[in-house]
Amino acid sequence: MDNCIFCKIIRGEIPSRKVYEDENTLSFMDVAGDVDGHILVIPKKHVTNVLDCDKETLDQTIETVKKVANHLTEDCGYEGVNILNASGQPAGQSVFHLHFHIIPRKSTDPFTGWPVYPGAKEEIEDVHKRVTMID
C-alpha cells in the first residue's frame, strides 16, 4: 500500500527503531512516547486488521509477538506485558495495517493496561444468544 505508514517503514522510506525483524514480520518502537518500551509488531504483508488477515500471516505475526514479549520478560527486566490490538475504526484502530502493541509492565507501574468501560447495557443472556457460535 503506497500511503500506509507501516508499509513505508517496512520499505525503509520512514526510519524506525527496529527491535526484531524476520522475513515476515517487523517489530519496532512506537513513537507515541506514552509508555517506556512500547513496541509495535506488524506483518510485512499488508493486511488491514485481524478481521481480514489470513491464517498464515496472523500465525507469523503472533509468533513474533510472543518472541518479543518473551524477550522483554526474560532478558529486559520486565515482569509482564499487555498485548493490545484494535481491529476496525470503531475499536480505535487508527493505522489500517494489522499491528499489535506490546506494553512491557512492572508491578510498580502507576497505571493499568486495561481500558475502563462504562458497563454493559444489555443482559448477558441476550448477548450470549447473539454471539454464540456453537449449537
Side-chain angles (χ1 to χ4, degrees), residues 55-74:
K55 182 181 180 337
E56 182 179 18
T57 301
L58 186 58
D59 289 349
Q60 294 163 344
T61 306
I62 290 297
E63 186 63 33
T64 296
V65 168
K66 181 174 173 40
K67 185 176 289 195
V68 172
N70 284 340
H71 171 66
L72 292 170
T73 58
E74 295 170 3

Side-chain angles (χ1 to χ4, degrees), residues 14-80:
I14 297 175
S16 67
R17 290 183 170 83
K18 294 179 184 178
V19 174
Y20 175 81
E21 181 176 20
D22 61 28
E23 66 183 66
N24 301 304
T25 63
L26 175 64
S27 65
F28 54 94
M29 301 302 299
D30 189 303
V31 297
D34 52 1
V35 178
D36 292 336
H38 185 167
I39 296 170
L40 298 175
V41 176
I42 63 174
K44 290 183 176 178
K45 176 182 179 181
H46 182 88
V47 292
T48 304
N49 56 43
V50 167
L51 303 173
D52 76 341
C53 189
D54 60 277
K55 182 181 180 337
E56 182 179 18
T57 301
L58 186 58
D59 289 349
Q60 294 163 344
T61 306
I62 290 297
E63 186 63 33
T64 296
V65 168
K66 181 174 173 40
K67 185 176 289 195
V68 172
N70 284 340
H71 171 66
L72 292 170
T73 58
E74 295 170 3
D75 304 322
C76 300
Y78 294 102
E79 300 168 53

